[in-house]
Amino acid sequence: MSNQLINQKISDLKVCVLIPTYNNNLTLKRVIDGVLQFTQHIIVVNDGSTDSTSKILEGYSNLEQIHFTENKGKGQALRSGLKHAESLDYKYVIAIDSDGQHFPKDIPIFINTLENAENKNLLLIGARNMSQEGVPKKSSFGNKFSNFWFWVETGIKLQDTQSGFRLYPIHHFKNLKFYTNKFEFEIEVIVKAAWNGTHVINIPIHILYDETERVSHFRPFKDFTRISILNTWLVIVTIFYIKPRDLFRKLKKKGVKRFIVENVLGSNDTPQKKALSIALGIFIGITPLWGFHTILVLSLALILNLNKTIAFAFSNVSLPPFIPFIVFGSLIVGNYILGQNATYNLGSITNDLDVLKQLKTYIIGSFTLATISGLTIGILSYFIFLIFQKKKINVTNA
């Protein structure tokens, strides 16, 4: 495909190329010239470079340029570039690093993927071959680390989440707020985009790690710490807001009956896995670990490889209207196990929190009730799923 045709597609799709740069004078000119083979729609952000970057950019006065008087970090350079691109009415931005590791000749891959996609709310990340010769081991480890947490936070499995060669659908970012300014921005933006409904996928690209000319500004301790703090926060938001939000959106959209039929009965998981997910949800929902039910059920479902949606849905057995009944049942069970003769009534539990006076009885009864309920409903669910599965097979074979 000719460069002229790609140039036309870039214009038609309202795409520009963003090149953030900081002290990459050895490779900057090569990168810009490589991009110019495909388009003049370029924005260069000089992030306070102290080398000959400014002098090099004087030779490209026809290009959009942003110059920082001091280094603010890659995240801030990208955010400023994306904001400027939006002000120029671009809909997409292809970001490419200026350190020479990326090949501008891969730009057509991004353009053709975007053009052929049915869903244009698309964020493309160039997937590097991290196993090829020359790739630093710390980069390979960092990428695996990032991929894992991105999966935890979004449920999306990617091969490469750290590549700086990307296409951003900036016209879908209007309602998103970003807070980071360093390398961690590249994680924040893809996680929040995925939360917002953007389709995030990898596409293959070429890479070159030439240690004689490549300058990396990644500070292992400081930047890894910042990334870890960000991931901790994103996981907390995922557990306490994103997962519940997505579940309630499904429930609201489909209704309870349709949700159960499609997301529970219609799940492709085995009857055993679905039943165990329900048992886990019921158990956690009844336990006295108030305030931690969501994080516990999602964490355990993840660790045990169970259905997170089903487990979370059934953990909501402890919704406020049901709490007095759960507490009352726990006290009755605890009273029986301990051989006590205390009497309880639902009114006193609701009005004066009588449970606080019988904390030991409540805790023992709660865990016992949670275990019995989880096992009973889990076993019952298993047989229901088996029957449903057999009917489904018979209908398929008919």
Side-chain angles (χ1 to χ4, degrees):
M1 186 175 294
S2 68
N3 293 357
Q4 185 177 359
L5 181 57
I6 292 296
N7 191 347
Q8 186 59 49
K9 288 183 177 182
I10 289 175
S11 297
D12 293 343
L13 292 167
K14 293 188 176 182
V15 180
C16 75
V17 177
L18 171 61
I19 307 175
T21 186
Y22 174 59
N23 288 349
N24 288 127
N25 62 313
L26 296 178
T27 53
L28 177 60
K29 187 177 188 305
R30 186 174 79 225
V31 173
I32 295 177
D33 290 341
V35 175
L36 283 171
Q37 293 182 26
F38 300 101
T39 183
Q40 294 276 338
H41 298 285
I42 300 174
I43 299 174
V44 182
V45 181
N46 177 12
D47 186 19
S49 298
T50 56
D51 58 6
S52 58
T53 292
S54 296
K55 187 174 182 181
I56 292 172
L57 292 177
E58 289 177 1
Y60 299 95
S61 57
N62 59 317
L63 302 182
E64 292 285 333
Q65 297 183 21
I66 299 173
H67 292 266
F68 295 161
T69 55
E70 59 183 23
N71 180 248
K72 296 183 179 181
K74 187 179 183 182
Q76 187 58 55
L78 285 170
R79 289 174 61 179
S80 298
L82 295 176
K83 186 175 182 180
H84 188 60
E86 184 182 359
S87 72
L88 297 175
D89 201 32
Y90 289 109
K91 290 188 175 181
Y92 299 92
V93 170
I94 295 177
I96 182 172
D97 290 345
S98 64
D99 60 2
Q101 70 165 298
H102 300 145
F103 291 81
K105 68 179 182 180
D106 285 332
I107 288 176
I109 301 175
F110 288 86
I111 298 302
N112 291 331
T113 302
L114 174 63
E115 182 186 40
N116 295 327
E118 293 184 9
N119 181 5
K120 291 295 193 288
N121 185 4
L122 188 66
L123 194 158
L124 303 174
I125 303 176
R128 303 161 294 174
N129 180 4
M130 302 303 291
S131 62
Q132 79 176 47
E133 186 178 354
V135 177
K137 290 184 178 180
K138 62 180 180 180
S139 296
S140 180
F141 169 78
N143 189 52
K144 291 178 180 178
F145 177 85
S146 178
N147 295 347
F148 170 77
W149 287 115
F150 180 74
W151 170 67
V152 170
E153 293 150 5
T154 66
I156 301 171
K157 289 187 177 182
L158 293 181
Q159 175 187 343
D160 190 348
T161 54
Q162 289 194 318
S163 172
F165 203 174
R166 305 174 172 192
L167 180 141
Y168 295 108
I170 57 173
H171 59 303
H172 289 286
F173 286 4
K174 294 180 180 179
N175 297 324
L176 299 182
K177 292 183 180 180
F178 303 109
Y179 302 97
T180 55
N181 297 316
K182 305 296 183 180
F183 284 100
E184 68 271 18
F185 170 75
E186 291 182 305
I187 296 173
E188 182 187 17
V189 66
I190 61 174
V191 171
K192 290 186 175 179
W195 287 351
N196 196 47
T198 296
H199 189 39
V200 184
I201 63 172
N202 279 139
I203 57 174
I205 61 169
H206 300 87
I207 55 167
L208 171 67
Y209 282 93
D210 188 343
E211 296 301 329
T212 62
E213 62 179 12
R214 179 174 178 266
V215 178
S216 175
H217 303 290
F218 186 84
R219 302 160 300 177
F221 179 75
K222 287 186 178 180
D223 289 317
F224 189 78
T225 299
R226 295 173 70 97
I227 289 172
S228 297
I229 293 172
L230 173 64
N231 277 318
T232 300
W233 170 245
L234 293 175
V235 168
I236 291 173
V237 175
T238 297
I239 292 173
F240 288 102
Y241 175 68
I242 299 300
K243 292 295 183 182
R245 180 204 68 178
D246 292 346
L247 176 62
F248 288 124
R249 281 180 178 177
K250 289 180 181 178
L251 281 169
K252 185 177 179 181
K253 182 179 180 181
K254 297 182 177 182
V256 176
K257 182 178 179 180
R258 184 181 167 194
F259 176 82
I260 292 175
V261 171
E262 294 183 3
N263 292 77
V264 180
L265 295 177
S267 170
N268 292 324
D269 292 327
T270 63
Q272 181 181 4
K273 185 173 182 177
K274 287 188 281 190
L276 287 172
S277 301
I278 290 176
L280 175 66
I282 294 293
F283 174 80
I284 295 297
I286 295 178
T287 60
L289 305 171
W290 306 104
F292 297 94
H293 286 167
T294 298
I295 190 171
L296 281 172
V297 76
L298 291 177
S299 298
L300 288 172
L302 182 67
I303 294 171
L304 299 173
N305 192 30
L306 299 179
N307 188 306
K308 295 185 289 295
T309 300
I310 294 176
F312 174 76
F314 280 87
S315 71
N316 284 282
V317 67
S318 59
L319 285 172
F322 307 132
I323 291 176
F325 299 97
I326 293 175
V327 173
F328 179 70
S330 298
L331 286 171
I332 296 297
V333 173
N335 187 56
Y336 176 79
I337 292 175
L338 295 175
Q340 298 174 166
N341 296 317
T343 58
Y344 306 98
N345 64 80
L346 199 57
S348 65
I349 291 172
T350 304
N351 295 329
D352 60 13
L353 296 178
D354 187 57
V355 64
L356 295 178
K357 304 174 184 177
Q358 303 290 337
L359 191 58
K360 179 181 177 182
T361 303
Y362 165 65
I363 291 175
I364 293 175
S366 179
F367 276 107
T368 304
L369 181 63
T371 303
I372 294 173
S373 300
L375 287 173
T376 303
I377 298 176
I379 292 171
L380 181 62
S381 300
Y382 175 70
F383 288 108
I384 291 175
F385 288 135
L386 278 181
I387 295 171
F388 183 82
Q389 185 181 57
K390 289 179 180 178
K391 287 184 177 180
K392 188 175 181 180
I393 293 173
N394 291 334
V395 170
T396 303
N397 295 333

